[in-house]
Amino acid sequence: MKRTTAREIAVQLGFYAAASGKTVADIVDDFFDKEYFSTLADVDELYAEYPEKKQKDYIIRLASLVEDYRIQIDNYINKYSNGWKIGRISKTAVAVMRCAICEVLYMDDIPNATAINEAIELAKGYDEPETVSFINGVLGGFMRGELNYEAAVEAETKE
């Protein structure tokens, strides 16, 4: 299973946990039950391959970190969404942005550019082009505003 697929499953796992009012820890055993997981493949090809241990750990870690730091992450989304409140943004777009910001802030093993680029690509499969542009703008603003991303990229290219 590719990391891109694992990331998308993490977005869906976190989305499902939030929608159900349960924690990721509450649902993870049932979600990753091999028999249950195989039934998901009948509905969505995303679940065609059961994740190996490394990918399963990544999925659980990402979904759990998003859950643990949701307030902080949502504050960044609110800050960079130019007047839009989270309640007005599509739930899928919010879930994608939460995962990207989480990877940037709390997962040092994921390159920042990869987290952002993967989020944009993932959003293209769920949202309208206008929403994808909005997500790109929010995440770009976050990177420039919080991490001075452009200066870091420029410094790397000069070395």
Side-chain angles (χ1 to χ4, degrees):
M1 173 180 291
K2 293 182 180 180
R3 174 67 59 100
T4 300
T5 303
R7 183 176 283 107
E8 187 171 359
I9 291 172
V11 168
Q12 290 190 4
L13 177 64
F15 187 87
Y16 174 71
S20 70
K22 297 179 180 180
T23 66
V24 171
D26 288 339
I27 64 171
V28 75
D29 288 338
D30 290 337
F31 186 83
F32 285 108
D33 175 79
K34 287 191 178 194
E35 188 175 318
Y36 173 73
F37 200 89
S38 69
T39 66
L40 296 175
D42 295 337
V43 179
D44 189 337
E45 67 182 46
L46 179 68
Y47 299 96
E49 181 183 350
Y50 189 83
E52 55 195 58
K53 181 179 178 358
K54 181 179 177 182
Q55 297 301 355
K56 183 178 169 185
D57 291 347
Y58 163 79
I59 293 165
I60 295 168
R61 181 173 158 226
L62 178 55
S64 296
L65 283 168
V66 167
E67 182 177 78
D68 292 346
Y69 292 100
R70 191 163 128 191
I71 292 170
Q72 293 92 325
I73 294 168
D74 286 358
N75 286 338
Y76 287 118
I77 294 171
N78 279 324
K79 181 176 179 179
Y80 293 101
S81 61
N82 295 325
W84 284 72
K85 297 292 180 203
I86 282 190
R88 291 184 57 209
I89 303 169
S90 85
K91 293 187 184 322
T92 305
V94 171
V96 168
M97 289 188 289
R98 282 176 177 156
C99 283
I101 291 171
C102 181
E103 285 183 318
V104 168
L105 293 176
Y106 307 112
M107 298 178 79
D108 293 337
D109 55 323
I110 309 295
N112 292 345
T114 299
I116 301 303
N117 291 336
E118 290 281 331
I120 300 306
E121 289 304 311
L122 180 58
K124 288 177 183 177
Y126 289 98
D127 285 305
E128 299 296 320
E130 300 80 23
T131 304
V132 174
S133 293
F134 174 79
I135 292 168
N136 190 31
V138 171
L139 294 176
F142 163 76
M143 294 298 289
R144 287 185 301 277
E146 300 303 319
L147 302 177
N148 198 13
Y149 187 69
E150 289 173 342
V153 170
E154 190 175 311
E156 285 178 11
T157 57
K158 288 182 181 178
E159 290 180 2

